[in-house]
Amino acid sequence: MEEDKQNSDLQSEEKAKTTHEAIKLSGMFENWFLDYASYVILERAVPDVQDGLKPVQRRILHAMKELDDGRYNKVANIIGHTMKYHPHGDASIGDALVQLGQKDLLIDTQGNWGNVLTGDSSAAPRYIEARLSKLALDVAFNPKTTLWKRSYDGRNKEPVNLPVKFPLLLAQGVEGIAVGLASKILPHNFIELIDASIDILKGNKVTIFPDFNTGGLIDVSKYNDGLRGGRVRVRARVNIIDKKTLSITEIPFGTTTTTLIESIIAANDRGKIKVKKIEDNTAENAEILIHLPINTSPDQTIDALFAFTNCEMSISPNSCVIQKDTPLFLGVTEILELNTFQTRDLLQKELQIQLMELEEQWHYSSLEKIFIEKRIYRDIEECETWEAVVEAIDNGLEPYKKLFRREITREDIIRLTEIKIKRISKHDVFKADDIIKSIEDDIEQTKDNLANIIRYTINYFKQIRKKHSEGRERKTEIRSFENIEAAMVAVANAKLYVDKEEGFAGTGLKKATYVCDCSDIDDIIVFRRNGTFIVTKVADKVFVGKDVIHIDVFRKNDERTIYNLIYRHGLTGPVYIKRFAVVGVTRDKTYDVTKGKDGSRILYFSSNPNGEAEVIKVLLRPKPRLRKLNFEFDFKSLAIKNRNAQGNVLTKYVIKSVVKKEEGISTLDAIKVWFDDTVQRLNHEERGQFLGSFHKDDKILALYKNGEYRLHGYEVTTHFDNDLMHLRKFDGNSVCNVIYYDGETGFPYLKRFCFEPVEKRMSFIGEEKNEIISYTFDHEPQLTVIYNVEKGKKKKDDEVFHAAEFVAVKGIGAKGKRLAKHKIITVSWMSLKEPESEHEQSEIVNDKDDMTEQEKTDKSTNTNSKSMDDDKPLQMELEI
């Protein structure tokens, strides 16, 4: 008994060891996990480059094709039918179907399918319906060119890939996360993809960029062909309605109006922007109204929306696809080339199948014609067996076999025996010849298409564009974005205090001396009595040093804030005076504006935001033989130099005190402003068209395509509406000559007027239905009008008008004078003379006086000094 028990225990231990050795974690990882990862990558998350579809999408479309009868089907029914092919739950199929339907490309939807703008979900599958779109039926299905495989349960067959004859993957875009791998291909424009495919077939190089159904703006400068490491920036389209209201009419891809509003509210709560109220009026189109508090800059708020909210998003594409059961990273251009040549190959295969079918039609039609016309069917009347019948027909066809393009088979003869007597009796020789001739023509045409497959493929793409491109124009505007510095647009959401005795500054020192409003991401600059200064980040409480004489918010690269300074060199040295700017520094590093000698001390200091130069009065300490104990000095006589410059000697005597006698005016040149139409922004870096030199109260005049104008400031944060037509420096005395179409009378009018200073957009051509034909700011222009006379009527000669003689300068609200009773094709302007007003002459002289020799040389060579559009008139065809 004991021996049996011991043997049993030994057997149990050996069995346990064997079982333990059979199940190893490393083996599980190598086999099971890798199998699972491969399955997820190939069968769930990453699209196939051939048809651009994930397996679930392919199975949905295949199921819908099987159900297709031209009518809508309940989504619940489509989901149930798809489950024959997709081995997952109905929820995953339903979600994939809704996403396909929202792309508005392959599926024609009916009912509440949700809203991509608001993020609202669709109705339940039993309430909504769908069917294949006409585009899907045209480009995605052909059972003759489809490779099939068994479904997961072996009961049905499903396509390995759909024979898609269109760059569907790039048109739809895709996003999927697999095991250790992800794919994110952005959608592209339908029409642009077709045009690019045609260019590829012609041998041209192409470049394509994303386009989103939510609209907005996109910067594609770092797109990197959609590969890893690339990045695109997308922005909402924000418009200024008035000084207190902004509107968002298009949102960035990947966001919804709900998440966008939440991000704006969060930024407002953090104090980054100031918002009074937000209204979401989104329905078919996006519309978010943002109401601003009083004295809030709408231009700065727009930049703050881009800097601190989801109004600007950064998207990193990752173009990963499956090709021949292998995941690959291919650029969108390479994917487009593959899809284009795949379309060519599929069309070639369809033509080859069509040619085979036509050859068979010709063969049987010719065979039937000879069988009936030569009365070979009579040879079988005496036959008693089936083999005798077949042999009789074969013998009857023997003299004609050389006329056929292939051998006549037993199957052909059997098919002849199936012809009904009624058909033989109604045989029409001429009709049979016409049918054969038509087939022969189709064969020749098919052979020609095969011989010229590139031409045939190009025509195919053109037909697809013609048939399905309506309403698929680009929705996302491609534009370069300027980089927005958060510190420049952040709202002053905190108050800066300083404790000069203890040497602390910050936003948390409520009992100390108030300095100014600031934001919590600002830098501050602090000057001390000993001549040192430091730039540091705003904090609740930070030590900045004792004996502080000046503290303020610091703006990097600020060349217009000028510091006027008087300091003593050492304990007994001479007194120096200087003017300087602080442009760029290293944060938390101590700098010295004196020569750094021990005992140096600042005797006078002023900070001037626009380079003002005041007059000071200096009192000297009495000394033997010193007769003049006070004198005045004007800072205007000093040049602005580097902060490290020593300065000029003010006096060698001991100064008792320095006081400001009178305020000064700016000694800086007028601000020169350029407009960069690439980013639609103003700048001071000589990028784009030169608008002029601006002083404190100067404005920019903006003309818009709908016949409205508005005056803007010349700050670099200024935003212009998207329908901008012309920019120039505003001059209330400049005469604008405008030809416009009057919607009520149907005639063109010419008016001459001066713009009035207004802060909101205002029309200068009257009613909304009026339309601009052309304009110019020449003082006394001459215009040539070319008429378009209707067919059958006498041609009207072109006319020349002297604008000043034709109509006088009147108010902006005047209608002007009718120019003609005929249609106008074009209007060309010619300047008769170029007079300059006294104001313009003096401004030019002053600019030249202020310019350096190099600037004068640059101006003489017309470098970066071109006014926007060169004041050229807008010319367009007008259909009346």
Side-chain angles (χ1 to χ4, degrees), residues 12 36 67 91 273 308 333 355 377 383 465 471 549 560-561 564 577 624 669 706 735-736 742 748 764 768 874:
S12 298
Y36 170 72
L67 293 172
I273 59 175
F308 302 114
T333 304
L355 181 60
Y377 57 87
C383 297
R465 180 178 60 190
I549 60 172
R560 299 195 69 84
T561 298
N564 299 335
I577 185 169
D669 295 339
N706 64 347
V735 176
C736 183
D742 182 71
F764 57 89
E768 291 184 2
L874 175 72

mmCIF file of all heavy atoms in Angstrom, residues 12 36 67 91 273 308 333 355 377 383 465 471 549 560-561 564 577 624 669 706 735-736 742 748 764 768 874:
data_model
loop_
_atom_site.group_PDB
_atom_site.id
_atom_site.type_symbol
_atom_site.label_atom_id
_atom_site.label_comp_id
_atom_site.label_asym_id
_atom_site.label_seq_id
_atom_site.Cartn_x
_atom_site.Cartn_y
_atom_site.Cartn_z
ATOM 1 N N SER A 12 2.565 11.987 -9.976
ATOM 2 C CA SER A 12 1.919 13.312 -9.932
ATOM 3 C C SER A 12 2.952 14.424 -10.077
ATOM 4 O O SER A 12 2.736 15.421 -10.771
ATOM 5 C CB SER A 12 1.132 13.463 -8.625
ATOM 6 O OG SER A 12 0.120 12.498 -8.551
ATOM 7 N N TYR A 36 -1.690 37.674 -32.470
ATOM 8 C CA TYR A 36 -2.728 38.671 -32.210
ATOM 9 C C TYR A 36 -2.360 40.017 -32.837
ATOM 10 O O TYR A 36 -3.203 40.681 -33.465
ATOM 11 C CB TYR A 36 -2.940 38.832 -30.696
ATOM 12 C CG TYR A 36 -3.809 39.996 -30.331
ATOM 13 C CD1 TYR A 36 -5.179 39.969 -30.576
ATOM 14 C CD2 TYR A 36 -3.272 41.139 -29.754
ATOM 15 C CE1 TYR A 36 -5.988 41.038 -30.252
ATOM 16 C CE2 TYR A 36 -4.061 42.216 -29.422
ATOM 17 C CZ TYR A 36 -5.424 42.163 -29.674
ATOM 18 O OH TYR A 36 -6.219 43.239 -29.352
ATOM 19 N N LEU A 67 -27.264 43.636 -51.166
ATOM 20 C CA LEU A 67 -28.624 44.077 -50.863
ATOM 21 C C LEU A 67 -29.141 45.121 -51.844
ATOM 22 O O LEU A 67 -30.329 45.452 -51.824
ATOM 23 C CB LEU A 67 -28.673 44.676 -49.451
ATOM 24 C CG LEU A 67 -28.435 43.725 -48.274
ATOM 25 C CD1 LEU A 67 -28.318 44.519 -46.983
ATOM 26 C CD2 LEU A 67 -29.574 42.702 -48.176
ATOM 27 N N ALA A 91 -22.038 46.383 -32.918
ATOM 28 C CA ALA A 91 -21.675 47.756 -32.563
ATOM 29 C C ALA A 91 -20.500 48.250 -33.408
ATOM 30 O O ALA A 91 -20.505 49.384 -33.908
ATOM 31 C CB ALA A 91 -21.327 47.847 -31.080
ATOM 32 N N ILE A 273 -7.779 84.624 -22.179
ATOM 33 C CA ILE A 273 -8.566 85.496 -23.037
ATOM 34 C C ILE A 273 -9.735 86.027 -22.221
ATOM 35 O O ILE A 273 -10.038 85.513 -21.132
ATOM 36 C CB ILE A 273 -9.106 84.745 -24.280
ATOM 37 C CG1 ILE A 273 -9.984 83.566 -23.853
ATOM 38 C CG2 ILE A 273 -7.963 84.279 -25.167
ATOM 39 C CD1 ILE A 273 -10.628 82.861 -25.020
ATOM 40 N N PHE A 308 -4.292 79.701 -27.442
ATOM 41 C CA PHE A 308 -4.680 79.064 -26.181
ATOM 42 C C PHE A 308 -5.879 78.129 -26.283
ATOM 43 O O PHE A 308 -6.252 77.516 -25.290
ATOM 44 C CB PHE A 308 -4.982 80.135 -25.125
ATOM 45 C CG PHE A 308 -3.832 81.061 -24.845
ATOM 46 C CD1 PHE A 308 -3.902 82.402 -25.171
ATOM 47 C CD2 PHE A 308 -2.667 80.586 -24.265
ATOM 48 C CE1 PHE A 308 -2.846 83.258 -24.922
ATOM 49 C CE2 PHE A 308 -1.607 81.432 -24.005
ATOM 50 C CZ PHE A 308 -1.689 82.771 -24.333
ATOM 51 N N THR A 333 1.937 60.815 -52.022
ATOM 52 C CA THR A 333 2.200 60.888 -53.455
ATOM 53 C C THR A 333 2.433 59.499 -54.030
ATOM 54 O O THR A 333 1.928 59.162 -55.111
ATOM 55 C CB THR A 333 3.423 61.776 -53.732
ATOM 56 O OG1 THR A 333 3.218 63.062 -53.148
ATOM 57 C CG2 THR A 333 3.638 61.937 -55.224
ATOM 58 N N LEU A 355 -13.199 42.470 -74.330
ATOM 59 C CA LEU A 355 -12.796 42.017 -75.663
ATOM 60 C C LEU A 355 -13.089 40.523 -75.833
ATOM 61 O O LEU A 355 -13.589 40.096 -76.893
ATOM 62 C CB LEU A 355 -11.307 42.293 -75.872
ATOM 63 C CG LEU A 355 -10.720 41.898 -77.227
ATOM 64 C CD1 LEU A 355 -11.416 42.643 -78.356
ATOM 65 C CD2 LEU A 355 -9.218 42.163 -77.248
ATOM 66 N N TYR A 377 -29.821 23.561 -90.235
ATOM 67 C CA TYR A 377 -30.727 22.896 -89.303
ATOM 68 C C TYR A 377 -31.569 21.814 -89.978
ATOM 69 O O TYR A 377 -32.102 20.915 -89.337
ATOM 70 C CB TYR A 377 -31.644 23.927 -88.621
ATOM 71 C CG TYR A 377 -32.469 24.766 -89.571
ATOM 72 C CD1 TYR A 377 -33.711 24.324 -90.035
ATOM 73 C CD2 TYR A 377 -32.015 26.001 -90.009
ATOM 74 C CE1 TYR A 377 -34.461 25.084 -90.896
ATOM 75 C CE2 TYR A 377 -32.749 26.773 -90.863
ATOM 76 C CZ TYR A 377 -33.981 26.327 -91.314
ATOM 77 O OH TYR A 377 -34.719 27.088 -92.178
ATOM 78 N N CYS A 383 -31.839 12.546 -88.734
ATOM 79 C CA CYS A 383 -30.975 11.933 -87.724
ATOM 80 C C CYS A 383 -31.814 11.280 -86.633
ATOM 81 O O CYS A 383 -32.808 11.847 -86.175
ATOM 82 C CB CYS A 383 -30.045 12.966 -87.117
ATOM 83 S SG CYS A 383 -28.890 13.680 -88.316
ATOM 84 N N ARG A 465 -14.806 62.836 -62.837
ATOM 85 C CA ARG A 465 -14.837 64.221 -62.351
ATOM 86 C C ARG A 465 -16.083 64.948 -62.837
ATOM 87 O O ARG A 465 -16.734 65.665 -62.070
ATOM 88 C CB ARG A 465 -13.577 64.956 -62.820
ATOM 89 C CG ARG A 465 -13.500 66.403 -62.371
ATOM 90 C CD ARG A 465 -12.209 67.057 -62.826
ATOM 91 N NE ARG A 465 -12.100 67.027 -64.281
ATOM 92 C CZ ARG A 465 -11.009 67.358 -64.945
ATOM 93 N NH1 ARG A 465 -9.917 67.710 -64.291
ATOM 94 N NH2 ARG A 465 -10.982 67.312 -66.263
ATOM 95 N N GLY A 471 -20.145 69.991 -55.986
ATOM 96 C CA GLY A 471 -20.180 70.184 -54.537
ATOM 97 C C GLY A 471 -18.965 69.643 -53.814
ATOM 98 O O GLY A 471 -18.939 69.642 -52.578
ATOM 99 N N ILE A 549 14.527 100.928 -9.224
ATOM 100 C CA ILE A 549 14.093 102.253 -9.698
ATOM 101 C C ILE A 549 13.055 102.143 -10.823
ATOM 102 O O ILE A 549 12.356 103.108 -11.121
ATOM 103 C CB ILE A 549 15.288 103.089 -10.177
ATOM 104 C CG1 ILE A 549 15.997 102.388 -11.335
ATOM 105 C CG2 ILE A 549 16.251 103.363 -9.029
ATOM 106 C CD1 ILE A 549 17.071 103.239 -11.981
ATOM 107 N N ARG A 560 11.224 99.943 -29.849
ATOM 108 C CA ARG A 560 10.649 101.286 -29.731
ATOM 109 C C ARG A 560 10.581 101.782 -28.287
ATOM 110 O O ARG A 560 10.295 102.944 -28.058
ATOM 111 C CB ARG A 560 9.263 101.325 -30.381
ATOM 112 C CG ARG A 560 9.304 100.998 -31.863
ATOM 113 C CD ARG A 560 8.028 101.375 -32.550
ATOM 114 N NE ARG A 560 7.822 102.814 -32.642
ATOM 115 C CZ ARG A 560 8.335 103.596 -33.595
ATOM 116 N NH1 ARG A 560 9.138 103.073 -34.524
ATOM 117 N NH2 ARG A 560 8.057 104.872 -33.639
ATOM 118 N N THR A 561 10.769 100.887 -27.339
ATOM 119 C CA THR A 561 10.867 101.324 -25.944
ATOM 120 C C THR A 561 12.311 101.770 -25.686
ATOM 121 O O THR A 561 13.229 100.954 -25.719
ATOM 122 C CB THR A 561 10.471 100.209 -24.979
ATOM 123 O OG1 THR A 561 9.103 99.844 -25.214
ATOM 124 C CG2 THR A 561 10.629 100.659 -23.536
ATOM 125 N N ASN A 564 16.075 106.430 -21.252
ATOM 126 C CA ASN A 564 16.959 107.599 -21.107
ATOM 127 C C ASN A 564 17.615 107.537 -19.735
ATOM 128 O O ASN A 564 16.921 107.398 -18.714
ATOM 129 C CB ASN A 564 16.169 108.896 -21.263
ATOM 130 C CG ASN A 564 15.525 109.008 -22.647
ATOM 131 O OD1 ASN A 564 16.003 108.404 -23.606
ATOM 132 N ND2 ASN A 564 14.458 109.789 -22.750
ATOM 133 N N ILE A 577 25.605 110.337 -19.891
ATOM 134 C CA ILE A 577 24.199 110.326 -20.309
ATOM 135 C C ILE A 577 24.083 109.470 -21.576
ATOM 136 O O ILE A 577 24.961 109.505 -22.437
ATOM 137 C CB ILE A 577 23.683 111.765 -20.546
ATOM 138 C CG1 ILE A 577 22.172 111.750 -20.850
ATOM 139 C CG2 ILE A 577 24.470 112.462 -21.658
ATOM 140 C CD1 ILE A 577 21.557 113.150 -20.838
ATOM 141 N N PRO A 624 33.800 126.043 -5.528
ATOM 142 C CA PRO A 624 34.555 127.257 -5.841
ATOM 143 C C PRO A 624 34.877 127.352 -7.335
ATOM 144 O O PRO A 624 35.185 126.351 -7.982
ATOM 145 C CB PRO A 624 35.831 127.119 -5.000
ATOM 146 C CG PRO A 624 35.449 126.217 -3.891
ATOM 147 C CD PRO A 624 34.427 125.280 -4.437
ATOM 148 N N ASP A 669 11.812 107.089 -36.089
ATOM 149 C CA ASP A 669 11.203 107.217 -37.404
ATOM 150 C C ASP A 669 9.781 106.677 -37.350
ATOM 151 O O ASP A 669 9.407 105.922 -36.457
ATOM 152 C CB ASP A 669 12.003 106.414 -38.442
ATOM 153 C CG ASP A 669 13.397 106.970 -38.621
ATOM 154 O OD1 ASP A 669 13.607 108.142 -38.276
ATOM 155 O OD2 ASP A 669 14.268 106.218 -39.109
ATOM 156 N N ASN A 706 -16.722 92.647 -51.986
ATOM 157 C CA ASN A 706 -18.158 92.902 -52.057
ATOM 158 C C ASN A 706 -18.488 94.388 -52.083
ATOM 159 O O ASN A 706 -19.649 94.768 -51.967
ATOM 160 C CB ASN A 706 -18.870 92.235 -50.874
ATOM 161 C CG ASN A 706 -18.456 92.824 -49.537
ATOM 162 O OD1 ASN A 706 -17.474 93.568 -49.444
ATOM 163 N ND2 ASN A 706 -19.193 92.486 -48.488
ATOM 164 N N VAL A 735 -8.607 110.401 -53.997
ATOM 165 C CA VAL A 735 -9.842 110.173 -54.739
ATOM 166 C C VAL A 735 -9.835 108.751 -55.291
ATOM 167 O O VAL A 735 -8.863 108.319 -55.917
ATOM 168 C CB VAL A 735 -9.996 111.186 -55.885
ATOM 169 C CG1 VAL A 735 -11.243 110.872 -56.708
ATOM 170 C CG2 VAL A 735 -10.053 112.602 -55.337
ATOM 171 N N CYS A 736 -10.920 108.062 -55.056
ATOM 172 C CA CYS A 736 -11.085 106.711 -55.583
ATOM 173 C C CYS A 736 -12.079 106.751 -56.739
ATOM 174 O O CYS A 736 -13.156 107.344 -56.632
ATOM 175 C CB CYS A 736 -11.588 105.760 -54.495
ATOM 176 S SG CYS A 736 -11.740 104.048 -55.056
ATOM 177 N N ASP A 742 -24.851 98.398 -61.255
ATOM 178 C CA ASP A 742 -26.022 98.677 -60.429
ATOM 179 C C ASP A 742 -27.066 97.583 -60.649
ATOM 180 O O ASP A 742 -27.556 97.389 -61.770
ATOM 181 C CB ASP A 742 -26.602 100.048 -60.786
ATOM 182 C CG ASP A 742 -27.795 100.405 -59.907
ATOM 183 O OD1 ASP A 742 -27.585 100.674 -58.718
ATOM 184 O OD2 ASP A 742 -28.938 100.377 -60.417
ATOM 185 N N PRO A 748 -23.834 99.975 -65.867
ATOM 186 C CA PRO A 748 -22.607 100.313 -65.135
ATOM 187 C C PRO A 748 -22.545 101.801 -64.824
ATOM 188 O O PRO A 748 -22.935 102.636 -65.644
ATOM 189 C CB PRO A 748 -21.499 99.890 -66.107
ATOM 190 C CG PRO A 748 -22.107 100.002 -67.456
ATOM 191 C CD PRO A 748 -23.567 99.703 -67.286
ATOM 192 N N PHE A 764 -19.185 101.138 -50.222
ATOM 193 C CA PHE A 764 -18.951 102.361 -50.997
ATOM 194 C C PHE A 764 -19.578 102.270 -52.388
ATOM 195 O O PHE A 764 -19.369 103.144 -53.228
ATOM 196 C CB PHE A 764 -17.451 102.663 -51.115
ATOM 197 C CG PHE A 764 -16.623 101.575 -51.721
ATOM 198 C CD1 PHE A 764 -16.429 101.505 -53.086
ATOM 199 C CD2 PHE A 764 -16.019 100.627 -50.917
ATOM 200 C CE1 PHE A 764 -15.658 100.516 -53.646
ATOM 201 C CE2 PHE A 764 -15.244 99.622 -51.478
ATOM 202 C CZ PHE A 764 -15.059 99.562 -52.842
ATOM 203 N N GLU A 768 -26.376 95.743 -51.631
ATOM 204 C CA GLU A 768 -25.631 94.484 -51.658
ATOM 205 C C GLU A 768 -25.570 93.864 -53.051
ATOM 206 O O GLU A 768 -24.583 93.236 -53.410
ATOM 207 C CB GLU A 768 -26.272 93.485 -50.686
ATOM 208 C CG GLU A 768 -26.094 93.864 -49.224
ATOM 209 C CD GLU A 768 -26.663 92.804 -48.299
ATOM 210 O OE1 GLU A 768 -27.147 91.779 -48.825
ATOM 211 O OE2 GLU A 768 -26.611 93.004 -47.079
ATOM 212 N N LEU A 874 -8.817 96.464 -60.406
ATOM 213 C CA LEU A 874 -9.355 95.111 -60.539
ATOM 214 C C LEU A 874 -10.172 95.056 -61.813
ATOM 215 O O LEU A 874 -11.048 95.876 -62.031
ATOM 216 C CB LEU A 874 -10.237 94.791 -59.342
ATOM 217 C CG LEU A 874 -10.966 93.460 -59.389
ATOM 218 C CD1 LEU A 874 -9.973 92.336 -59.182
ATOM 219 C CD2 LEU A 874 -12.042 93.420 -58.341
#
